[in-house]
Amino acid sequence: MSVLPLVFTSGWASGINAYAVVLLLGLFGVTGVSDDVPGALQRPEVLIIAGVLFLCEAAADKVPYVDSIWDSVHTVIRPAAGAWVGALLAGHSGSYPEVAAALIGGSTALASHSVKAGTRMAVNASPEPFSNIALSIGEDLGVGALVSFAIFHPQAAAIIAAVLLVAGLAALFFLVSRIRRFLRRRAQRREERRLASRVP
């Protein structure tokens, strides 16, 4: 399937910032940069909603702990968006290639979302907020650059996305102790708030 590299790359990117993927692909289609972008992604209402949600994510993603809450909510949304974009890119209504593309896009998005959410938990264990901002900006720029590159060089972009995904999963394995520390701190704060609310 010739569209498979673009499906894989957009799935990886959707797991990090699904709204940026929809917005970028839609803009590439509307401006005529690419003929591979389905019409559903080019609709004005889709672009407006994706743009507004992208701005919301850009803000939420840079605030410690708010980013982890945002990631929790998007555990379903990002893989679903990756599957939806993958199915649209395959473009055969109800056919086997569309189902396969949806599975690839959704599962890749879920894997990269897990890397992002886990990395954010580890970063939130750090007391300063600047690492969140730097990581968020890096993610946004990386998604934008790789999706743009995938429009012109889908196979090369898919290889880069695969390398980033494997590297992210490996890094996540080594960050497990920081993630556990983050979860312990969060549980401790909840307990402190609960005890404080009991004090007359």
Side-chain angles (χ1 to χ4, degrees):
M1 230 167 62
S2 62
V3 78
L4 192 59
L6 183 56
V7 168
F8 182 83
T9 304
S10 66
W12 172 85
S14 293
I16 295 170
N17 192 328
Y19 307 122
V21 173
V22 172
L23 183 61
L24 271 174
L25 288 176
L27 289 174
F28 281 134
V30 165
T31 56
V33 172
S34 174
D35 296 329
D36 295 329
V37 179
L41 294 174
Q42 300 178 42
R43 295 169 57 116
E45 63 272 24
V46 172
L47 291 173
I48 290 168
I49 292 168
V52 169
L53 290 172
F54 169 73
L55 292 175
C56 292
E57 175 148 343
D61 223 23
K62 292 169 181 61
V63 181
Y65 299 103
V66 172
D67 61 346
S68 291
I69 294 167
W70 185 268
D71 285 339
S72 298
V73 172
H74 285 76
T75 299
V76 173
I77 296 171
R78 288 176 183 146
W84 178 64
V85 170
L88 286 175
L89 289 171
H92 303 287
S93 182
S95 68
Y96 173 74
E98 183 180 18
V99 173
L103 288 172
I104 290 167
S107 58
T108 306
L110 179 60
S112 62
H113 165 75
S114 300
V115 170
K116 174 180 176 153
T119 304
R120 284 315 181 86
M121 284 184 195
V123 168
N124 282 336
S126 168
E128 45 75 33
F130 304 109
S131 51
N132 281 70
I133 295 169
L135 193 59
S136 177
I137 291 170
E139 288 168 353
D140 292 343
L141 292 175
V143 164
L146 199 56
V147 170
S148 301
F149 185 60
I151 291 293
F152 304 104
H153 306 284
Q155 287 84 6
I159 291 168
I160 293 169
V163 168
L164 289 172
L165 184 58
V166 170
L169 290 169
L172 190 59
F173 177 78
F174 291 108
L175 290 172
V176 167
S177 64
R178 290 194 76 167
I179 294 168
R180 285 185 185 143
R181 193 179 327 141
F182 165 78
L183 293 172
R184 277 196 304 269
R185 281 185 186 172
R186 193 166 69 172
Q188 184 179 2
R189 283 193 188 103
R190 279 193 203 140
E191 184 63 19
E192 287 169 358
R193 280 195 296 263
R194 189 179 66 79
L195 292 172
S197 66
R198 286 185 173 182
V199 175

